[in-house]
Amino acid sequence: MGPGRRACVDGSEKTIPSRFKRSQDHHEAYLRLIRLELDDELAMTEERLRNWSEKKLEANGIALFGLNAKTDGWLFGQQIIRLRLGSGKNLGSHRFRQGDIVMLSRSNPLTERPIEAIVSNRNRNSIRVVLPEAPQGLRKGTWRIDRGANRVAFDRMRDALNSIFEEDGSAPMRELLLGLVHDPEGTASLIPEMGGAKQTRVPLPSDFNRTQRYAAESAINRRLTLIQGPPGTGKTHTAVRILENWAIQDTGTVLAVADSNVAVDNLLEGLLERGVRAVRLGQPVKVRESLRVATMDARMESHELNKELIEEIERNEKLSRRIKGMRGGKEKGLAHRDLSRGWKEVKRLESQIRDDILDRAQVLCCTCIGSGHVLLDGRRFSRVLLDEATQATEPAALVPLVKGARQIVLVGDHRQLPPTVISRRAEAGGLGRSLFERLVDMGITPLLLNTQYRMHPSISEFPNSQFYGGMLEDGVSESEREAPPGMLWPDWDAPLSFLPVDGDELLSPDGASKENAAEAAWVVKILMGFVDEGGLELTDIGIVTPYAGQVRAIRDMLPETMQGVEVRTVDGYQGREKDVIIFSCVRSNSDGNVGFLSDRRRLNVALTRSRRGLVVIGNPDTLRNDVNWRAWIEHVRSRKLEAWHLLGTA
């Protein structure tokens, strides 16, 4: 929302300005919004548990029942539990994904104390979760699993808001971030005050293009830099090189964050490839398997003091077992004293190891919320880079920024999807606007990366003109992105196709989403064409749709041999890319209602995930009722890219 825009929250008009006159106004506004977000998430969870039947919960993909459980190894000291149905039955469609917080219970998490766990991975027949230790009687009876709410995120966002409000020295950039300065753009461009640390000039890489170099130079020399990276323009590559440059300057540990674990892993991967000493903070289960060697847990296991730590733990456990067999008296009292001292020594060693790892790290990588971990209490990071900044709510973005940041780089694209907000009240109140976008509205100009290296030029043409005013250039040629076989493209020089399908949209069984069986069938048919031709692997193809109901409908229709293909909603595909994308629009009705397909940012993301081929399936009569989709249909028709021939009506 701009400075003059208002939204109704809790029945009254509230204003979220671009610039604040008082820090108190910022504090009160965002504290109210994150409370709404938590309250509505908890209320929604409780309402479903109280009022929904098991059948409805299962159909909605947010609960599974009658699961057998057994231990399945360890992950950095945490127990892995495998959950599956009897006789290895298919779990069906559900929404549990790696890193999700879940609740384990016997019958109902409302009437018993549930066990919190984190999803490790999943397949058709089982879900693996991790937790500190296996519960008693794990293999007796059955279990249910439910989605859980994230109270930790609320606590850390509240603490960040309190910190920037109280002006306690933890937020040197406070005045600028809140818009309390006279000239935000001018203040942002000033040389950063690094607290006495001397900056050294380090050459930038030669593989930068012109706009990447300019953005990186600005980021290194300014207090606050916004870098706008449209799809495929190398914003993560640019971010990694900025972080590398900072690391070489050696002015203290750099903090590199993003809203999602996937985005953090992308930064971490790039840093490790460049030889930067990077450490990943967070649950190892949420980290890409190939990168877990860089987690704090893995670093602790390989530390030179770890052997001493393990020996101390084993001595304490042995003494604890001895104490159980002792009678009372002086000897038992002395043993308890020794045990207490022993566990204090364990804590001291653990703390020493962690501090040593953090002190040696050039870059610390974690999520925005993860940066609020108690492990970082008291530590200050003068340089902070936030990737995918437009996907983080402002309170989430502030969690890393109130740890002493004197130089800040925000990398994102406000033309793509905004932060995910569960509460409609909080979204209406302005929580869906990122800090990046508010700073743009404040008058700080983002630096545009203008060369895209992902898409075939025919695929980039429409989003470039429709969403970026024709400012993007193609960094790849048609010959570098040859049309993939397995599809009868209307024009083999332009691997872009719109398949007009007049199917019926239906309400999903859960009553909360949409699906379209005719489009789902075509998705599978087109997928089989690509796979049968042999030129592409399943991992090269992505299936995208706006609706979770259609995700489940497509997965249910896929043959066993094709279950390896990735099927996600648009929101789950931001930041991702594939050689081929098949997109199902779903909406098909006589009212011309396109639902949230009308969000131009969602359309931008949907149309920019593919490198070599894009197939869009939808009902043109319905889609034409939206101005952006009408422009898309006119675009493909003017270039004769409709695939009528596949329908047998050419």
Side-chain angles (χ1 to χ4, degrees):
M1 297 180 198
R5 296 170 68 182
R6 306 179 73 87
C8 183
V9 183
D10 271 340
S12 61
E13 293 284 320
K14 304 293 182 184
T15 302
I16 298 291
S18 297
R19 300 177 66 172
F20 293 86
K21 294 180 179 178
R22 304 181 304 165
S23 61
Q24 182 180 349
D25 298 335
H26 176 273
H27 182 259
E28 290 177 352
Y30 281 103
L31 196 60
R32 180 176 60 251
L33 293 177
I34 64 171
R35 280 174 176 160
L36 286 174
E37 176 79 346
L38 178 65
D39 289 347
D40 286 0
E41 184 179 5
L42 291 172
M44 183 175 63
T45 301
E46 185 172 342
E47 189 273 332
R48 288 171 173 173
L49 291 173
R50 287 194 186 282
N51 301 320
W52 286 20
S53 66
E54 289 188 3
K55 185 177 179 182
K56 188 173 181 180
L57 288 167
E58 206 159 29
N60 200 44
I62 57 175
L64 292 169
F65 302 88
L67 300 169
N68 298 320
K70 68 174 185 178
T71 57
D72 196 30
W74 297 86
L75 180 65
F76 297 111
Q78 291 206 307
Q79 185 75 67
I80 300 172
I81 304 292
R82 184 184 292 273
L83 300 157
R84 59 191 304 169
L85 293 170
S87 305
K89 293 180 182 175
N90 190 335
L91 292 177
S93 296
H94 58 78
R95 300 189 191 181
F96 298 105
R97 301 286 183 270
Q98 183 187 21
D100 284 352
I101 297 171
V102 297
M103 299 179 292
L104 293 178
S105 62
R106 292 295 190 177
S107 58
N108 191 333
L110 290 180
T111 58
E112 59 188 275
R113 189 172 181 179
I115 300 166
E116 192 171 279
I118 299 172
V119 176
S120 169
N121 55 29
R122 48 163 280 178
N123 57 37
R124 287 174 68 85
N125 302 318
S126 68
I127 292 178
R128 296 167 83 220
V129 301
V130 296
L131 64 170
E133 59 182 358
Q136 293 289 327
L138 177 70
R139 303 190 69 159
K140 294 179 181 177
T142 60
W143 296 84
R144 65 179 281 180
I145 182 173
D146 294 86
R147 294 278 297 255
N150 193 350
R151 296 174 184 265
V152 172
F154 170 81
D155 292 341
R156 293 178 182 177
M157 289 188 290
R158 176 201 60 207
D159 291 346
L161 289 169
N162 290 342
S163 184
I164 201 167
F165 169 61
E166 291 164 0
E167 201 173 1
D168 60 359
S170 61
M173 299 277 284
R174 171 180 183 268
E175 307 293 305
L176 174 57
L177 291 173
L178 298 185
L180 300 174
V181 297
H182 173 68
D183 178 13
E185 176 73 29
T187 306
S189 64
L190 294 174
I191 297 171
E193 296 178 340
M194 299 303 292
K198 190 176 180 181
Q199 287 188 256
T200 55
R201 291 284 300 178
V202 178
L204 287 167
S206 58
D207 62 351
F208 271 167
N209 63 40
R210 179 180 55 81
T211 55
Q212 288 173 334
R213 179 171 294 277
Y214 181 69
E217 286 176 346
S218 299
I220 292 164
N221 295 314
R222 291 165 52 109
R223 291 185 185 180
L224 174 63
T225 305
L226 308 182
I227 298 176
Q228 183 186 359
T233 55
K235 60 183 174 60
T236 300
H237 169 70
T238 305
V240 166
R241 292 306 191 92
I242 292 169
L243 290 167
E244 181 190 19
N245 192 283
W246 281 351
I248 295 171
Q249 291 187 25
D250 198 25
T251 56
T253 305
V254 175
L255 189 56
V257 297
D259 188 63
S260 71
N261 283 290
V262 171
V264 176
D265 284 350
N266 290 338
L267 289 176
L268 177 63
E269 185 175 46
L271 290 168
L272 294 176
E273 287 175 355
R274 301 299 305 168
V276 176
R277 295 194 308 276
V279 174
R280 177 72 154 90
L281 188 65
Q283 288 278 1
V285 68
K286 297 184 179 183
V287 179
R288 197 177 304 153
E289 192 170 351
S290 61
L291 301 173
R292 288 175 183 169
V293 66
T295 61
M296 173 62 75
D297 298 76
R299 298 286 197 217
M300 287 187 70
E301 282 192 358
S302 61
H303 195 275
E304 54 263 33
L305 290 177
N306 190 57
K307 185 180 177 183
E308 186 179 339
L309 174 64
I310 291 171
E311 288 173 352
E312 187 65 39
I313 292 171
E314 289 175 347
R315 274 195 299 271
N316 292 337
E317 289 175 342
K318 188 177 179 180
L319 180 56
S320 183
R321 289 192 294 271
R322 274 182 53 210
I323 290 174
K324 288 179 181 178
M326 289 181 180
R327 296 182 178 179
K330 186 177 180 181
E331 185 186 1
K332 190 169 185 178
L334 291 171
H336 273 296
R337 181 200 65 185
D338 291 342
L339 185 62
S340 177
R341 289 175 177 174
W343 286 121
K344 284 181 181 176
E345 178 62 10
V346 166
K347 287 184 178 179
R348 188 195 68 78
L349 281 168
E350 285 180 335
S351 181
Q352 184 180 342
I353 293 171
R354 289 193 184 103
D355 285 345
D356 188 47
I357 292 167
L358 291 173
D359 291 342
R360 292 182 191 179
Q362 292 176 299
V363 181
L364 178 64
C365 302
C366 57
T367 62
C368 294
I369 298 301
S371 67
H373 195 281
V374 65
L375 188 63
L376 302 183
D377 283 356
R379 288 185 173 267
R380 293 290 177 260
F381 302 89
S382 59
R383 287 170 160 164
V384 179
L385 182 144
L386 171 52
D387 196 12
E388 299 288 4
T390 48
Q391 289 190 275
T393 65
E394 177 155 337
L398 290 175
V399 177
L401 301 184
V402 299
K403 292 189 171 297
R406 297 176 179 274
Q407 190 171 19
I408 298 169
V409 177
L410 303 183
V411 185
D413 182 13
H414 51 302
R415 303 294 182 215
Q416 297 186 61
L417 287 173
T420 300
V421 177
I422 294 171
S423 167
R424 291 184 178 179
R425 294 187 296 166
E427 187 173 28
L431 192 60
R433 180 175 66 168
S434 66
L435 173 62
F436 185 108
E437 194 168 2
R438 183 172 68 76
L439 293 174
V440 172
D441 292 343
M442 189 196 294
I444 299 175
T445 306
L447 306 179
L448 180 71
L449 305 180
N450 72 347
T451 305
Q452 73 85 16
Y453 299 95
R454 175 184 298 162
M455 295 165 276
H456 186 288
S458 67
I459 299 173
S460 69
E461 183 184 5
F462 176 81
N464 182 19
S465 63
Q466 189 75 5
F467 308 121
Y468 298 102
M471 296 178 67
L472 302 186
E473 300 172 2
D474 291 314
V476 290
S477 64
E478 294 182 3
S479 61
E480 293 175 286
R481 295 289 186 269
E482 288 185 358
M487 168 78 182
L488 290 174
W489 301 101
D491 183 348
W492 281 88
D493 293 326
L496 170 66
S497 180
F498 177 59
L499 182 62
V501 174
D502 185 12
D504 292 325
E505 70 175 60
L506 299 171
L507 201 62
S508 296
D510 60 16
S513 190
K514 303 280 185 185
E515 59 184 66
N516 187 316
E519 288 189 19
W522 271 106
V523 167
V524 175
K525 186 175 181 180
I526 290 169
L527 172 66
M528 292 176 71
F530 284 122
V531 174
D532 290 346
E533 189 67 29
L536 294 169
E537 302 291 333
L538 285 173
T539 53
D540 298 324
I541 305 168
I543 298 171
V544 186
T545 180
Y547 291 93
Q550 187 72 341
V551 169
R552 294 193 291 276
I554 292 169
R555 282 183 178 147
D556 289 344
M557 209 174 281
L558 287 172
E560 185 71 33
T561 56
M562 294 188 179
Q563 287 296 323
V565 72
E566 197 169 22
V567 189
R568 290 178 178 249
T569 62
V570 180
D571 299 58
Y573 240 99
Q574 180 152 322
R576 310 290 306 283
E577 61 180 47
K578 294 284 186 179
D579 276 352
V580 171
I581 290 290
I582 306 169
F583 181 73
S584 170
C585 298
V586 178
R587 302 310 300 263
S588 178
N589 54 76
S590 57
D591 298 329
N593 185 359
V594 300
F596 55 63
L597 273 177
S598 62
D599 187 330
R600 60 190 277 115
R601 292 173 296 188
R602 187 167 277 108
L603 177 60
N604 184 19
V605 172
L607 298 180
T608 54
R609 300 305 96 196
S610 58
R611 290 188 287 261
R612 296 173 55 198
L614 172 64
V615 182
V616 178
I617 304 169
N619 184 335
D621 293 334
T622 299
L623 296 174
R624 286 185 64 84
N625 289 278
D626 174 74
V627 61
N628 291 301
W629 278 99
R630 183 163 62 251
W632 158 254
I633 291 169
E634 289 171 357
H635 174 81
V636 294
R637 283 184 176 172
S638 68
R639 289 155 179 76
K640 298 181 171 56
L641 298 176
E642 289 177 292
W644 291 104
H645 57 287
L646 297 182
L647 302 175
T649 56

